[in-house]
């Protein structure tokens, strides 16, 4: 037994330097990657926020002076928090916020294990992505945006280089593509597009009753609008293209809900609405039942850019 513990201690003495070197490498990688990214964004006056729809439909490199910090599953209450963090550091002038017809609906009451895990993964990715913007000024109001265990895990990774299951997944993603923001997928949805499952998941409970309205998300958009007016930012509400088969089966009540929220905010002076939901994209421009792919984004992004130019919000060159 004594010999076993002696060998274990001997092995640990060899393993410890390897672990320390690994932590140092992770910390240097994160510090270098995000320092360059964050400093690169500082000179850009346009930020794109929202969920997976603007994330996949808008290519920031095609809209001069913009960076896309939208994140799949993000809700408008979280968009508002993110905007407040960015406004402390960045000289923003224009804010683009993605809307969708299910933006203002409560999460389904009965989530399966995969849906619960996706939400947990979102909160970690949200914290991991936003941490570089607040790490130098870890004010209490920023720290309270996240639960303690998630923030602790992210801080250990960034500050000490200690990896975890969640952080390893994020680092792999950054190694595969551009950190924080990335190009939309080139995946093409199987034809015909399976829109039925998307409609059921987005707008119905499992007993086929309509989902309830989340008034906090409606308030979140209102807070974004008020904050932009207070700061002198122009706000663009953006609704991404949808397959026609998906669009026509959206319950009318949710279309009317979105229209009423938008109409209450848009003044065509400081707040504008760009609605591309019925833009006639072929099915090959979608990656699934309701998200565009890279081919769709390459069509829609120039249209959005030209609209911004026509409104006098971008240079015409």
């Amino acid at each position: 037994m004594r010999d076993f513990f002696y060998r274990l201690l001997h092995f640990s003495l060899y393993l410890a330097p390897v672990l320390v070197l690994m932590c140092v490498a992770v910390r240097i990688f994160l510090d270098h990657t995000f320092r360059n990214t964050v400093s690169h964004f500082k000179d850009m006056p346009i930020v794109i926020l929202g969920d997976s729809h603007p994330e996949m439909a808008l290519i920031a490199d095609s809209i001069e002076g913009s960076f896309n910090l939208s994140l799949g599953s993000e809700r408008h209450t979280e968009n508002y928090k993110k905007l407040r963090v960015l406004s402390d550091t960045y000289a923003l002038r224009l804010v683009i916020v993605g809307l969708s017809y299910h933006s203002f609906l409560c999460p389904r009451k009965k989530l399966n294990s995969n849906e619960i895990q996706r939400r947990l993964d979102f909160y970690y990715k949200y914290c991991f992505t936003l941490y570089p913007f607040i790490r130098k000024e870890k004010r209490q109001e920023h720290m309270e945006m996240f639960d303690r265990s998630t923030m602790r895990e992210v801080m250990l990774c960034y500050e000490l280089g200690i990896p975890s299951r969640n952080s390893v997944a994020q680092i792999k993603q950054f190694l595969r593509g551009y950190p924080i923001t990335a190009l939309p997928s080139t995946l093409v949805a199987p034809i015909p597009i399976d829109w039925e499952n998307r409609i059921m998941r987005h707008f119905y409970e499992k007993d086929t009753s309509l989902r309830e309205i989340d008034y906090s998300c409606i308030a979140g958009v209102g807070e974004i609008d008020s904050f932009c007016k207070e700061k002198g930012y122009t706000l663009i509400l953006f609704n991404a293209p949808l397959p026609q088969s998906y669009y026509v089966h959206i319950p009318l009540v949710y279309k009317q809900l979105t229209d009423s929220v938008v109409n209450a905010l848009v003044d065509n002076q400081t707040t504008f609405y760009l609605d591309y939901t019925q833009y006639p994209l072929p099915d090959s421009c979608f990656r699934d039942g309701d998200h565009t792919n890279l081919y769709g984004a390459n069509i829609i992004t120039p249209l959005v850019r030209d609209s911004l130019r026509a409104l006098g919000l971008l240079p015409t060159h």
Side-chain angles (χ1 to χ4, degrees), residues 2-267:
R2 180 181 298 178
D3 185 58
F4 170 76
F5 282 110
Y6 175 78
R7 290 178 180 275
L8 183 62
L9 177 62
H10 190 70
F11 175 75
S12 300
L13 292 176
Y14 282 103
L15 184 61
V18 175
L19 295 176
V20 170
L21 288 175
M22 181 182 69
C23 291
V24 170
V26 168
R27 192 193 184 287
I28 291 174
F29 168 76
L30 290 176
D31 187 64
H32 175 75
T33 300
F34 285 95
R35 186 177 67 248
N36 289 347
T37 303
V38 171
S39 62
H40 177 63
F41 288 163
K42 279 190 175 182
D43 297 327
M44 296 187 177
I46 305 171
V47 63
I48 302 168
L49 301 175
D51 58 13
S52 54
H53 293 273
E55 180 184 24
M56 296 182 185
L58 296 179
I59 302 172
D61 289 345
S62 297
I63 302 176
E64 55 267 29
S66 71
F67 60 104
N68 194 336
L69 273 185
S70 52
L71 189 61
S73 299
E74 191 164 10
R75 303 179 71 77
H76 294 304
T77 49
E78 292 146 355
N79 289 330
Y80 174 59
K81 294 175 182 177
K82 185 180 287 187
L83 178 59
R84 289 188 58 188
V85 168
L86 296 175
S87 69
D88 290 340
T89 308
Y90 294 84
L92 298 177
R93 178 173 53 82
L94 177 63
V95 178
I96 302 174
V97 175
L99 296 179
S100 61
Y101 289 113
H102 56 275
S103 290
F104 306 122
L105 305 185
C106 293
R108 290 197 299 175
K109 296 176 182 177
K110 297 179 180 179
L111 299 178
N112 59 40
S113 58
N114 289 334
E115 290 169 330
I116 293 172
Q117 186 59 50
R118 278 200 299 268
R119 196 62 188 163
L120 293 174
D121 291 343
F122 162 78
Y123 278 118
Y124 186 86
K125 186 174 182 178
Y126 179 77
C127 180
F128 194 86
T129 301
L130 199 57
Y131 185 77
F133 296 91
I134 66 174
R135 66 185 300 191
K136 290 186 179 179
E137 45 177 79
K138 303 189 191 80
R139 298 190 309 197
Q140 189 63 26
E141 63 180 279
H142 293 160
M143 303 294 280
E144 290 174 354
M145 293 170 58
F146 314 101
D147 65 89
R148 292 185 178 181
S149 60
T150 300
M151 178 58 84
R152 188 183 306 112
E153 186 178 344
V154 170
M155 288 180 64
L156 287 174
C157 187
Y158 271 99
E159 306 301 341
L160 299 178
I162 299 175
S164 64
R165 178 186 66 83
N166 290 313
S167 60
V168 168
Q170 295 302 315
I171 292 170
K172 284 182 179 179
Q173 179 179 333
F174 299 143
L175 288 173
R176 288 197 298 265
Y178 190 72
I180 297 185
T181 60
L183 288 175
S185 170
T186 57
L187 184 69
V188 176
I191 308 298
I193 291 178
D194 178 18
W195 53 265
E196 293 96 335
N197 287 330
R198 290 278 171 173
I199 289 287
M200 184 59 64
R201 194 176 79 184
H202 288 158
F203 301 102
Y204 294 91
E205 295 290 347
K206 291 187 177 180
D207 58 2
T208 70
S209 60
L210 293 175
R211 281 169 55 185
E212 297 177 359
I213 297 171
D214 186 347
Y215 292 98
S216 66
C217 279
I218 295 177
V221 177
E223 288 175 321
I224 291 172
D225 181 63
S226 298
F227 186 77
C228 287
K229 285 181 168 62
E230 175 188 331
K231 291 287 187 177
Y233 304 155
T234 299
L235 175 62
I236 302 292
L237 302 175
F238 167 75
N239 211 337
L242 296 170
Q244 187 62 21
S245 53
Y246 176 100
Y247 177 84
V248 299
H249 286 90
I250 297 173
L252 181 61
V253 61
Y254 297 135
K255 293 180 182 178
Q256 294 171 337
L257 171 66
T258 302
D259 290 342
S260 64
V261 172
V262 168
N263 291 333
L265 299 176
V266 169
D267 57 15

